Amino acid sequence: MLLPPRPTAPPASPCTKVCRIDAASGLCEGCVRTLDEIAAWGSMSDAARRVVMQQLPARRAGRVAPIRST
């Protein structure tokens, strides 16, 4: 018997409660998101949240600049 696909849970916020924006990179020192990403998190689609979450490890590893949406 084939089971229906299980819904995936929305990505949890990566907030670490260390909320300081690094002036040089524009990234939060705790979660490595931009101010725009932090502000929009609550209204982002799950897909948009997943895109941000996929970028975070590279940002943490090398403080890679975020992809800016236009």
Side-chain angles (χ1 to χ4, degrees):
M1 179 168 136
L2 187 61
L3 298 174
R6 292 178 14 193
T8 57
S13 171
C15 182
T16 63
K17 308 291 190 240
V18 176
C19 304
R20 287 187 302 267
I21 301 300
D22 177 74
S25 69
L27 299 174
C28 174
E29 292 179 10
C31 67
V32 293
R33 292 180 292 170
T34 65
L35 278 175
D36 288 343
E37 290 166 343
I38 293 166
W41 190 262
S43 61
M44 279 184 178
S45 68
D46 288 352
R49 288 180 181 181
R50 285 187 181 90
V51 168
V52 171
M53 293 296 287
Q54 289 172 350
Q55 295 174 6
L56 299 183
R59 292 181 191 177
R60 272 192 197 95
R63 292 293 176 172
V64 175
I67 298 171
R68 305 262 183 209
S69 58
T70 54

